[in-house]
Amino acid sequence: MNYLFAPAIYFKGGKYGIGMLSKEKPLHHKYVSLPCKSEPRVLLIVEFEKYFVCNTHLSLHADNRMASIPIILENLNELKGKPIFIGGDWNDTPGMDFIKEMTNNFEILSDTSVFTFPAGEPNRCLDYIAMKKGENKVKVIKKEVLNEPTSSDHRPVIVKLKLKKRNL
């Protein structure tokens, strides 16, 4: 597997941040700092041959999450010609202001009716996979939240997709 890591903070002699594993070798990547009162956060942006994938773990503070939206959009609006996916722990539940604002620009592909946190006995959905709205579309083949309470404090969210061919 290919791996990428975007450090947000130095912690106990190491680093803490966002990571990504992929079978396909990335063409390019960058990471962008996001606002947070309690600890730094980052957005990891990775380009692959046919799409972009972004990963983040947003702040616990609502005002920081809202302040992250224009930074996310500014960076993702620079990406052209391929579908753009974004996922991670958004630290907000469906129907809240941050999620409503994100759905102005992104289509949530994951199943938000299934709780993801805490992993042992989930009581809310905080984890999402979404696609930036635009001309590039996908077909969702399968979406699920795995019943996996031990590998993380959140349950894994999976969306299986098929890219639709574009008319040229």
Side-chain angles (χ1 to χ4, degrees), residues 4 18 42 54 67 71-72 87 114 119 126 132 134-135 142 146 161 167-168:
L4 293 168
I18 297 295
V42 295
C54 309
I71 297 167
I72 292 169
V114 180
L126 298 180
K132 191 165 187 303
E135 62 187 70
K142 182 178 185 181
L146 297 183
L161 305 168
N167 294 332
L168 300 178

Side-chain angles (χ1 to χ4, degrees), residues 9-87:
I9 61 173
Y10 290 89
F11 185 74
K12 295 185 179 182
K15 297 175 185 174
Y16 176 86
I18 297 295
M20 185 181 300
L21 292 172
S22 64
K23 290 181 182 178
E24 183 180 340
K25 185 175 180 177
L27 301 175
H28 176 47
H29 75 280
K30 75 174 188 173
Y31 55 93
V32 179
S33 295
L34 296 175
C36 187
K37 294 176 195 171
S38 54
E39 68 181 44
R41 304 294 174 141
V42 295
L43 170 69
L44 175 61
I45 302 169
V46 183
E47 181 180 5
F48 294 96
E49 183 182 347
K50 296 182 180 178
Y51 50 88
F52 295 92
V53 177
C54 309
N55 186 15
T56 191
H57 178 189
L58 294 173
S59 173
L60 295 171
H61 307 284
D63 58 334
N64 291 153
R65 289 191 300 275
M66 294 302 283
S68 294
I69 292 173
I71 297 167
I72 292 169
L73 289 175
E74 177 184 335
N75 282 276
L76 299 191
N77 285 339
E78 294 173 0
L79 310 177
K80 304 290 183 202
K82 304 176 191 180
I84 302 166
F85 302 96
I86 183 170

